[in-house]
Amino acid sequence: MQLGVIGLGRMGANIVRRLLRNKHECVVFNRTPDKVKQLASEGAIGAYTLDDFVQKLHKPRAIWLMVPAGDPTEQMVKELAEKLDSGDILIDGGNSYYIDDIRRANDLASKGIHYLDVGTSGGVWGLERGYCMMIGGPQVAVQYLDPIFKSLAPGRGEIPRTPGREKVGGTAEEGYLHCGSNGGGHFVKMVHNGIEYGLMAAYAEGLNILHHANVGKQSRATNAETTPLRNPEHYQYDLNLPDIAEVWRRGSVVASWLLDLTAIALLQQPDLADFAGRVSDSGEGRWTVTAAIDEGTPAPVLSAALYQRFSSRGEDDFADKLLSAMRFQFGGHVEQHTETKS
Amino acid sequence: MQLGVIGLGRMGANIVRRLLRNKHECVVFNRTPDKVKQLASEGAIGAYTLDDFVQKLHKPRAIWLMVPAGDPTEQMVKELAEKLDSGDILIDGGNSYYIDDIRRANDLASKGIHYLDVGTSGGVWGLERGYCMMIGGPQVAVQYLDPIFKSLAPGRGEIPRTPGREKVGGTAEEGYLHCGSNGGGHFVKMVHNGIEYGLMAAYAEGLNILHHANVGKQSRATNAETTPLRNPEHYQYDLNLPDIAEVWRRGSVVASWLLDLTAIALLQQPDLADFAGRVSDSGEGRWTVTAAIDEGTPAPVLSAALYQRFSSRGEDDFADKLLSAMRFQFGGHVEQHTETKS
Amino acid sequence: MQLGVIGLGRMGANIVRRLLRNKHECVVFNRTPDKVKQLASEGAIGAYTLDDFVQKLHKPRAIWLMVPAGDPTEQMVKELAEKLDSGDILIDGGNSYYIDDIRRANDLASKGIHYLDVGTSGGVWGLERGYCMMIGGPQVAVQYLDPIFKSLAPGRGEIPRTPGREKVGGTAEEGYLHCGSNGGGHFVKMVHNGIEYGLMAAYAEGLNILHHANVGKQSRATNAETTPLRNPEHYQYDLNLPDIAEVWRRGSVVASWLLDLTAIALLQQPDLADFAGRVSDSGEGRWTVTAAIDEGTPAPVLSAALYQRFSSRGEDDFADKLLSAMRFQFGGHVEQHTETKS
Amino acid sequence: MQLGVIGLGRMGANIVRRLLRNKHECVVFNRTPDKVKQLASEGAIGAYTLDDFVQKLHKPRAIWLMVPAGDPTEQMVKELAEKLDSGDILIDGGNSYYIDDIRRANDLASKGIHYLDVGTSGGVWGLERGYCMMIGGPQVAVQYLDPIFKSLAPGRGEIPRTPGREKVGGTAEEGYLHCGSNGGGHFVKMVHNGIEYGLMAAYAEGLNILHHANVGKQSRATNAETTPLRNPEHYQYDLNLPDIAEVWRRGSVVASWLLDLTAIALLQQPDLADFAGRVSDSGEGRWTVTAAIDEGTPAPVLSAALYQRFSSRGEDDFADKLLSAMRFQFGGHVEQHTETKS
């Protein structure tokens, strides 16, 4: 079937490619025309203005937005709302805040336009691996676009079937799911990313403990400010982290796709010297924690993972200075500057 | 080759079975003889006293202990130390604290007995899936037992190869690894389990947030003690958790073996009513956090995961009472007993 | 000077009493008339309808609202907005979300009405001890009401002066402070309460550790599910918690008003049996964490304190069941029901 | 009465001075003689060798050690054990790990020497303010030294009496307490310091949130890596932190001695530029968390406070790099280097 795609960055372009491979027709648009040209050369129908784009789509039009969340998406939704007709379908495949989806869907519904929020996981690997899609919005539009979702999704593949799934049916084991009404797709994707933060932090903390398992070999200055290691003989291991990440990939309880990626990264560069360790967060982790708080459900692990990212960017500096200042006030403690850095 | 196995519980018995399938000879012993009989009927050589067991093994003997960590393992190591000879190999395949390994290895080395600590992951699935093994101890003994490890390990299987692995070699991608000197195997296994706690908690917290995504539908009593939900319209989702766990298994960033198991559990019983939610911890999570503290490496996520288990067993009761008592003292706040339970 | 007070609950009534003691004139109103009668009998001017109340106030009127945050405050602000005149001052002394203050202040400013948000700390002790006030809003209104704030505040009292304060001046050491524009008062009060959560949790956790310091005396079942205590001889202390809270009140680093209250509570009932340990949270802790996330500043301690309250109310139940379900899946672990409860 | 004091650093010297003011006789010894000279000039009896020191004490001798915990204390206890007689009393007033106390007390008891572990809080302020003392060891020795403890302690002073205390008696409200058998004093002191970490972190996090309350004024780069602030108009406050710390000192729920010190520090230098924010930890926080884990009691707040100190010293660097490496692997995300630093 036909799909219009706006936003031909890394993910948008690969979504088009995966659809083309599956014999769908793609009309594509991007603010900068060279990306349109590129995909046109690969079989897509290029459009160089938004009006041209809208015109090239059959009714009911189905348009997939893959532009950055926040202002860019907001603005594009507004522009398209002017140009689309009742019965058309607008899909936000980016990482929008689900609360924005609820509002947008209400606005568009008043014009008869269907809105779908599709949380799309898969990153740079999606072209080959398929995209996991969490969908929110009206059933009729989800149903209509089923061929698109089916083609973008990974399908059952060689992953072992969950016992009992055969009796349940549904699309979940194909890798896409209609989660509920509008916002529901991005809500589930948001929590997916919140979990991702937690998983990543669990690996990072554990591997950091392994990385420091030779701390007993270092001579640490002993003074009233620094407690000595009581049993240095217990921390004498120089561990091979690339090998450890690798061995866990098979048969262990912690095997996962994130571990696969960790094994790749550590094999490429065991000391990770190319990275400064300033970890960005793109919103979903924050929103997940905010949702947990609104709901009154505890999320200590997901929050700790989020805060670690803030700290990695120096956002704890003033708090740390305050701790040193208090220690100076009550105990005359002066900061140590010679402690071993990792 | 020949291996003696002591301890024929769930894991020990399956280890024997996997070795038998791979044409190794297994001499087996267990405190209760019926388990010996069972495995003898499956092809193992049964021994009904420890002396008989030791005698049935060729020199240099290789003995795999699969008994509960702590006192049972300690006692068995002591008994065997009396009966074994220089050059024999004693393997602790249980979940011992690596600090005990260091001590035991030193004691046994003085008698010429080699000791290996083998962290073994795989649980009840190991028979089919293979065991991921993290090994600590002298190179010579690890080398000698390589055929055993190779047979127990999952092997490379169909898991995609980490790019660059072909140039590195080693056993890691077979699913077993000599991590370092004694204690090193259980140290890595300990951190593996610490990470496991973190991963599990990340899924549990995230799915709990999804579970409460309909909190806006509930009428909550509003009083000075309870803040109202500001935007109930944002929490109107009745989500299908079995389907969500399933959809994440393909193409998503959070795919993992633990998620596969979660999908099974949720499909079997979506409300998990068979579980009371009293979560045990068997030591490794505690030891991981203790190691993090000794090393001075932050482990907020792994610790939060551990504490959640303590709390699930009511170990926070007195602390909670104290919070209510303080609130009563400064504000006259009386505890609410009508809040919605999940 | 004259002040109108609406809302004669615990805090509102005591605010009136403290003002009367300081020779101010108070016009009072409450939805239920008996509280008005009571305060009228103590020297206040009672009003039994809102119109009567507004009429009894001289212009420019100054009205202090002390009603529950959320809907009750919102509604009263709206009603008063209809009845007040340009130049009048409306004070919200409750625990409103500062974001509501910003909106309300804008709405009222369009009618020439000044709005002040006054975070008021002191609880049931304020009548004698004075109220600590954090004030947001236009300077002219803060200035005008200075005599009221001065009377309600504790004053410098016998608390030692911060060295250097004599050169700085300002009202902070009197116990009230104009923090900034509208919302600023409640923002500072919100963070005050967030800190309060953290302080309370620190005491609660520490005292809980002391409470369990005799855990080595208990015989714990040892099984594969429960790690034994390695050194029971290190946990043989039956500690007197009321005495320990008391001894810390003098000369220690952890002395504080919350500790004073803790000492009272523990002396009254060392086992705190009157409390169930279901700890409410009234919004400010949640908002503090939300602000931290918006700002990108890490708040692991304040968040952990908040989540502990959620957990104390059973909001972690589903997550705990999920952990048990996963453990059952990968290891066949069955939940233990005989572990010692605190 | 007479007391021998070894270790004339900041705390030891002031302990001697406080005892001299209260008409006790102090025999003093220090590795470097100039400190002995100084205190001799203030009225103490100086000793310049350990033998001389021991000889100058009447039997039963009472000796207070105030030397750094760990090796220095250990060695001094061993040396003194050789020179003391049955019936003598040895007091460790430093910050020893209570597990060392249990061992030392057992060793010394075999020679008839009494050992007391005295957790001593008060820091550089103790000379004027008095020392809060938590005491572990045999009743007979604690009783004997009561005059010393009474003089060192703050006494009831002007701090309001806990209601009901008059019926209970005991020394707790004088500021010293016999907590239990050996190790009990340092156990309680250890948890005291653990709580201190938590309290400090609560203030630091809260004040950091206030410090960033103007984040809405900054223009933040918006890109796919950084979520924009949704409501910059909610974060427009330039708050005066020295004034806020000051105003909380009177009448608020968060008033405490640590807040008094914070107010001093912030008034001296609002931006705390003299501090780098590398926060030391001297052992007690680590031991508190370790005790919590041994006991199986959750301590999320105290742990988070401890980990923040580790992070402040860069011990999370490798973990952070790993997070960036994973993000690069799954999403091609490149680290941002232009984010606003606090």
Side-chain angles (χ1 to χ4, degrees):
Chain A
M1 68 186 294
Q2 191 199 51
L3 185 75
V5 178
I6 296 179
L8 303 175
R10 216 153 30 197
M11 277 190 81
N14 281 345
I15 281 175
V16 171
R17 289 184 183 111
R18 195 167 167 99
L19 289 175
L20 293 174
R21 287 188 192 176
N22 284 274
K23 313 292 176 204
H24 295 287
E25 179 181 307
C26 290
V27 182
V28 301
F29 174 70
N30 196 67
R31 293 279 181 211
T32 52
D34 50 334
K35 292 187 174 168
V36 178
K37 261 178 218 159
Q38 172 60 37
L39 280 161
S41 78
E42 300 181 31
I45 299 168
Y48 295 88
T49 69
L50 200 54
D51 284 325
D52 182 35
F53 173 81
V54 171
Q55 225 160 357
K56 279 176 169 151
L57 290 167
H58 322 138
K59 292 192 190 179
R61 303 178 187 94
I63 300 174
W64 186 293
L65 289 186
M66 206 74 207
V67 295
D71 286 349
T73 295
E74 187 70 21
Q75 204 175 324
M76 187 57 80
V77 171
K78 278 191 184 149
E79 281 187 59
L80 285 169
E82 302 298 314
K83 301 179 194 294
L84 298 186
D85 297 308
S86 180
D88 289 349
I89 304 172
L90 187 54
I91 305 145
D92 178 9
N95 274 332
S96 286
Y97 197 13
Y98 79 97
I99 290 174
D100 291 334
D101 293 318
I102 296 174
R103 176 178 45 75
R104 285 177 198 148
N106 284 339
D107 291 352
L108 292 167
S110 68
K111 303 184 180 178
I113 304 169
H114 300 299
Y115 179 87
L116 295 183
D117 49 284
V118 180
T120 308
S121 185
V124 292
W125 298 69
L127 175 56
E128 301 305 330
R129 203 172 169 251
Y131 297 93
C132 176
M133 284 164 293
M134 297 142 259
I135 307 164
Q139 172 69 21
V140 57
V142 178
Q143 198 62 46
Y144 179 78
L145 287 168
D146 189 73
I148 296 292
F149 295 133
K150 199 172 204 77
S151 296
L152 287 176
R156 273 173 46 200
E158 296 177 6
I159 291 171
R161 201 163 194 183
T162 299
R165 257 295 139 189
E166 63 283 1
K167 296 181 220 144
V168 178
T171 63
E173 59 181 348
E174 300 291 327
Y176 66 104
L177 180 68
H178 183 202
C179 297
S181 60
N182 271 118
H186 276 143
F187 189 93
V188 174
K189 174 58 162 50
M190 168 187 86
V191 174
H192 164 281
N193 282 34
I195 292 173
E196 175 191 311
Y197 280 44
L199 302 180
M200 289 172 69
Y203 289 117
E205 291 182 11
L207 288 163
N208 196 23
I209 294 171
L210 296 176
H211 179 66
H212 286 81
N214 62 359
V215 74
K217 290 183 170 178
Q218 301 162 17
S219 59
R220 280 209 285 189
T222 303
N223 53 42
E225 295 300 295
T226 318
T227 189
L229 186 58
R230 285 176 75 84
N231 295 99
E233 70 276 18
H234 296 161
Y235 298 94
Q236 299 284 335
Y237 304 110
D238 293 305
L239 299 169
N240 182 322
L241 264 54
D243 272 3
I244 290 171
E246 184 66 38
V247 80
W248 287 345
R249 295 182 66 219
R250 291 175 183 82
S252 92
V253 173
V254 303
S256 75
W257 189 57
L258 279 165
L259 180 64
D260 296 346
L261 301 178
T262 302
I264 296 174
L266 284 169
L267 187 61
Q268 286 175 351
Q269 189 183 47
D271 64 358
L272 303 172
D274 283 354
F275 297 93
R278 292 176 63 82
V279 192
S280 292
D281 75 283
S282 54
E284 313 248 353
R286 300 178 179 211
W287 302 334
T288 300
V289 174
T290 303
I293 291 171
D294 277 350
E295 294 180 3
T297 58
V301 161
L302 306 190
S303 304
L306 177 65
Y307 294 142
Q308 179 57 29
R309 297 195 177 190
F310 295 167
S311 290
S312 80
R313 305 196 305 254
E315 299 292 352
D316 52 356
D317 283 2
F318 187 76
D320 291 341
K321 290 179 180 195
L322 208 43
L323 294 176
S324 283
M326 283 189 228
R327 296 186 81 242
F328 179 74
Q329 288 293 334
F330 68 70
H333 302 290
V334 174
E335 291 186 318
Q336 299 293 307
H337 294 284
T338 54
E339 287 172 32
T340 311
K341 274 277 237 178
S342 67
Chain B
M1 66 186 293
Q2 190 199 51
L3 185 74
V5 177
I6 296 177
L8 302 174
R10 218 158 24 201
M11 276 190 81
N14 281 345
I15 280 175
V16 171
R17 289 183 183 111
R18 194 167 167 100
L19 290 175
L20 293 174
R21 287 187 192 176
N22 284 275
K23 312 295 176 203
H24 295 286
E25 180 181 307
C26 290
V27 183
V28 301
F29 175 70
N30 195 67
R31 291 280 181 210
T32 52
D34 50 335
K35 293 188 174 168
V36 178
K37 262 178 216 156
Q38 173 59 38
L39 280 162
S41 79
E42 299 180 32
I45 300 167
Y48 294 88
T49 68
L50 201 54
D51 284 326
D52 182 33
F53 172 81
V54 170
Q55 225 160 357
K56 279 177 170 151
L57 292 168
H58 321 139
K59 291 190 190 179
R61 302 177 188 92
I63 300 173
W64 186 293
L65 289 184
M66 207 72 209
V67 296
D71 287 348
T73 295
E74 186 70 21
Q75 205 175 324
M76 187 56 80
V77 170
K78 278 191 182 146
E79 281 187 59
L80 285 169
E82 301 298 314
K83 300 179 195 292
L84 298 186
D85 297 308
S86 180
D88 288 350
I89 303 173
L90 187 54
I91 304 144
D92 178 9
N95 273 333
S96 287
Y97 197 11
Y98 79 96
I99 291 174
D100 291 333
D101 294 318
I102 296 175
R103 175 177 47 75
R104 285 176 197 148
N106 283 339
D107 291 351
L108 293 167
S110 68
K111 301 183 179 179
I113 303 169
H114 299 300
Y115 179 87
L116 294 184
D117 49 286
V118 180
T120 308
S121 185
V124 293
W125 299 68
L127 175 55
E128 301 305 329
R129 205 172 167 252
Y131 297 93
C132 176
M133 285 165 291
M134 299 142 258
I135 308 164
Q139 172 70 22
V140 56
V142 178
Q143 197 64 45
Y144 180 79
L145 288 167
D146 189 73
I148 296 293
F149 295 133
K150 198 171 205 78
S151 295
L152 288 176
R156 274 173 44 199
E158 296 176 9
I159 290 171
R161 202 163 194 184
T162 299
R165 257 295 139 190
E166 64 283 0
K167 296 181 219 145
V168 177
T171 64
E173 58 180 349
E174 299 291 327
Y176 64 105
L177 180 68
H178 183 201
C179 297
S181 60
N182 270 120
H186 277 141
F187 189 93
V188 174
K189 174 60 161 51
M190 168 187 86
V191 174
H192 164 279
N193 281 35
I195 292 172
E196 175 191 312
Y197 280 44
L199 302 180
M200 289 171 68
Y203 289 116
E205 291 182 10
L207 288 163
N208 196 24
I209 294 171
L210 296 177
H211 179 66
H212 286 80
N214 62 358
V215 74
K217 289 184 170 178
Q218 301 162 18
S219 60
R220 280 208 285 190
T222 303
N223 53 42
E225 295 300 295
T226 318
T227 188
L229 185 59
R230 286 175 73 85
N231 295 100
E233 71 275 19
H234 295 162
Y235 297 94
Q236 300 284 336
Y237 304 110
D238 294 304
L239 298 170
N240 182 324
L241 265 55
D243 272 2
I244 289 171
E246 185 67 36
V247 79
W248 287 345
R249 294 182 66 220
R250 291 175 182 83
S252 93
V253 173
V254 304
S256 74
W257 190 57
L258 279 164
L259 179 65
D260 296 345
L261 301 177
T262 302
I264 296 173
L266 284 168
L267 188 61
Q268 287 176 350
Q269 189 182 47
D271 65 358
L272 302 173
D274 284 352
F275 296 94
R278 292 177 62 81
V279 192
S280 293
D281 75 282
S282 54
E284 314 250 351
R286 300 179 180 211
W287 303 332
T288 301
V289 174
T290 303
I293 292 171
D294 277 350
E295 294 180 3
T297 58
V301 161
L302 306 189
S303 303
L306 177 66
Y307 294 142
Q308 180 56 29
R309 297 195 177 190
F310 295 168
S311 291
S312 79
R313 306 196 305 253
E315 301 292 352
D316 52 356
D317 283 2
F318 187 76
D320 290 340
K321 290 180 179 192
L322 207 44
L323 294 177
S324 284
M326 283 189 229
R327 296 186 83 242
F328 179 73
Q329 287 293 334
F330 69 70
H333 302 291
V334 174
E335 290 187 318
Q336 300 293 306
H337 295 283
T338 54
E339 288 173 33
T340 311
K341 275 276 238 178
S342 69
Chain C
M1 66 186 296
Q2 191 199 50
L3 186 75
V5 178
I6 295 177
L8 302 175
R10 221 155 26 199
M11 277 191 80
N14 281 344
I15 281 175
V16 171
R17 289 184 183 110
R18 193 165 166 103
L19 289 174
L20 292 173
R21 286 187 192 175
N22 283 274
K23 312 294 177 204
H24 295 287
E25 182 181 304
C26 290
V27 182
V28 301
F29 174 71
N30 195 67
R31 292 279 181 208
T32 53
D34 50 334
K35 291 187 175 169
V36 178
K37 262 179 214 154
Q38 173 59 38
L39 280 162
S41 79
E42 299 180 33
I45 298 167
Y48 295 90
T49 67
L50 200 54
D51 284 325
D52 182 34
F53 172 81
V54 170
Q55 223 160 0
K56 277 175 170 154
L57 291 168
H58 320 139
K59 291 192 189 177
R61 302 177 189 94
I63 299 174
W64 186 292
L65 288 186
M66 207 74 208
V67 296
D71 287 349
T73 295
E74 187 69 21
Q75 203 174 328
M76 187 56 81
V77 170
K78 278 189 184 150
E79 281 188 58
L80 285 168
E82 302 298 313
K83 300 179 194 291
L84 298 186
D85 297 308
S86 179
D88 288 350
I89 303 172
L90 187 54
I91 305 145
D92 178 8
N95 275 334
S96 287
Y97 197 11
Y98 79 96
I99 290 173
D100 291 333
D101 293 317
I102 296 174
R103 176 179 45 78
R104 285 176 198 147
N106 284 340
D107 291 351
L108 293 166
S110 68
K111 302 183 180 181
I113 304 169
H114 300 301
Y115 179 86
L116 295 184
D117 49 285
V118 180
T120 308
S121 183
V124 293
W125 298 69
L127 176 57
E128 301 304 330
R129 204 171 167 252
Y131 298 92
C132 176
M133 284 165 293
M134 296 141 261
I135 308 164
Q139 171 70 20
V140 56
V142 179
Q143 197 64 45
Y144 179 78
L145 286 168
D146 189 73
I148 296 293
F149 295 132
K150 198 173 205 78
S151 295
L152 287 176
R156 275 174 43 199
E158 295 177 8
I159 290 171
R161 201 163 195 186
T162 299
R165 257 295 140 190
E166 64 283 359
K167 294 181 220 144
V168 176
T171 64
E173 59 181 349
E174 299 292 327
Y176 65 104
L177 179 69
H178 183 201
C179 297
S181 60
N182 270 118
H186 277 143
F187 189 93
V188 174
K189 175 58 161 49
M190 168 188 86
V191 174
H192 164 279
N193 282 34
I195 293 173
E196 177 191 310
Y197 280 43
L199 302 179
M200 289 172 68
Y203 288 118
E205 291 183 10
L207 288 162
N208 196 24
I209 295 171
L210 296 176
H211 180 65
H212 286 81
N214 62 358
V215 74
K217 290 184 170 176
Q218 301 163 18
S219 60
R220 280 207 284 188
T222 301
N223 53 43
E225 294 300 294
T226 318
T227 188
L229 185 59
R230 285 176 74 83
N231 295 101
E233 70 275 17
H234 295 161
Y235 297 94
Q236 298 284 335
Y237 303 110
D238 293 304
L239 298 170
N240 182 321
L241 264 54
D243 272 3
I244 289 171
E246 184 67 37
V247 78
W248 287 345
R249 296 182 65 219
R250 291 175 183 84
S252 92
V253 173
V254 303
S256 74
W257 190 55
L258 279 165
L259 179 65
D260 297 345
L261 300 177
T262 303
I264 295 172
L266 284 169
L267 187 60
Q268 286 175 352
Q269 189 183 45
D271 65 359
L272 303 172
D274 284 354
F275 296 93
R278 291 178 63 82
V279 192
S280 293
D281 76 283
S282 53
E284 313 249 352
R286 300 177 180 213
W287 303 333
T288 301
V289 174
T290 303
I293 291 171
D294 277 349
E295 294 179 4
T297 58
V301 161
L302 306 190
S303 303
L306 177 65
Y307 294 141
Q308 179 57 29
R309 296 194 178 191
F310 294 167
S311 291
S312 79
R313 305 195 307 253
E315 300 292 353
D316 51 358
D317 283 2
F318 187 76
D320 291 340
K321 290 179 179 193
L322 207 43
L323 294 176
S324 283
M326 284 190 228
R327 296 186 82 243
F328 179 74
Q329 288 293 335
F330 67 71
H333 302 291
V334 175
E335 290 186 321
Q336 299 293 306
H337 294 284
T338 55
E339 287 172 33
T340 311
K341 275 276 242 178
S342 68
Chain D
M1 66 186 294
Q2 191 199 50
L3 185 75
V5 178
I6 295 177
L8 302 175
R10 219 155 30 196
M11 277 192 78
N14 281 346
I15 281 176
V16 171
R17 288 184 183 111
R18 193 165 167 103
L19 289 174
L20 293 175
R21 286 187 191 176
N22 284 274
K23 312 295 176 202
H24 296 287
E25 182 181 305
C26 290
V27 182
V28 300
F29 174 71
N30 196 65
R31 292 279 179 209
T32 52
D34 51 333
K35 292 188 174 168
V36 180
K37 259 178 217 156
Q38 172 59 37
L39 280 162
S41 79
E42 299 180 32
I45 299 167
Y48 294 88
T49 68
L50 200 55
D51 285 325
D52 182 34
F53 172 81
V54 170
Q55 223 160 1
K56 277 174 170 154
L57 292 167
H58 320 138
K59 292 192 189 176
R61 300 177 189 94
I63 300 174
W64 186 292
L65 288 186
M66 207 72 209
V67 296
D71 287 349
T73 294
E74 188 69 22
Q75 203 175 327
M76 187 56 80
V77 170
K78 278 190 183 149
E79 281 187 57
L80 285 169
E82 302 298 312
K83 300 178 194 293
L84 298 186
D85 297 308
S86 179
D88 287 351
I89 303 171
L90 187 54
I91 305 144
D92 177 9
N95 274 334
S96 287
Y97 197 13
Y98 78 97
I99 290 174
D100 291 333
D101 293 319
I102 296 174
R103 176 177 46 77
R104 284 177 198 148
N106 283 341
D107 292 351
L108 292 166
S110 67
K111 302 182 179 180
I113 303 169
H114 299 301
Y115 178 86
L116 295 183
D117 50 284
V118 180
T120 308
S121 183
V124 293
W125 298 68
L127 175 56
E128 301 305 328
R129 205 171 166 252
Y131 297 92
C132 175
M133 284 165 294
M134 297 142 259
I135 307 165
Q139 171 70 20
V140 56
V142 179
Q143 198 64 45
Y144 180 78
L145 286 168
D146 189 73
I148 296 293
F149 294 132
K150 200 173 204 78
S151 294
L152 287 177
R156 274 172 45 198
E158 295 177 8
I159 290 172
R161 201 164 194 183
T162 299
R165 258 293 141 189
E166 62 284 359
K167 294 181 219 144
V168 177
T171 64
E173 59 180 349
E174 300 290 328
Y176 66 104
L177 179 68
H178 183 201
C179 297
S181 60
N182 271 119
H186 277 142
F187 189 93
V188 175
K189 174 59 161 51
M190 169 187 84
V191 173
H192 164 280
N193 281 34
I195 292 172
E196 176 190 311
Y197 279 44
L199 302 180
M200 288 171 69
Y203 289 117
E205 291 181 12
L207 288 162
N208 195 24
I209 295 171
L210 296 177
H211 179 65
H212 287 80
N214 61 359
V215 74
K217 290 184 170 178
Q218 301 163 19
S219 59
R220 281 207 285 188
T222 302
N223 51 44
E225 295 299 295
T226 317
T227 188
L229 185 58
R230 285 175 74 85
N231 295 99
E233 70 276 19
H234 294 162
Y235 298 93
Q236 298 284 336
Y237 304 111
D238 294 303
L239 299 169
N240 182 323
L241 265 54
D243 272 2
I244 289 172
E246 185 66 38
V247 79
W248 287 345
R249 296 182 66 219
R250 291 176 182 82
S252 93
V253 173
V254 303
S256 74
W257 190 56
L258 279 165
L259 179 65
D260 296 346
L261 300 178
T262 302
I264 295 173
L266 284 169
L267 188 59
Q268 286 174 352
Q269 189 182 46
D271 65 358
L272 304 171
D274 284 353
F275 297 93
R278 292 177 63 82
V279 192
S280 293
D281 75 283
S282 53
E284 314 248 352
R286 300 178 181 211
W287 303 333
T288 300
V289 174
T290 303
I293 292 171
D294 277 350
E295 294 180 2
T297 57
V301 161
L302 306 190
S303 303
L306 177 65
Y307 295 141
Q308 179 56 28
R309 296 194 178 191
F310 294 167
S311 291
S312 80
R313 305 195 306 253
E315 300 291 353
D316 51 357
D317 283 1
F318 187 76
D320 291 340
K321 290 178 179 194
L322 208 43
L323 294 176
S324 284
M326 283 189 229
R327 296 186 81 244
F328 179 74
Q329 287 293 334
F330 68 69
H333 302 291
V334 174
E335 290 187 319
Q336 299 293 305
H337 295 283
T338 54
E339 288 173 32
T340 310
K341 276 276 242 178
S342 68

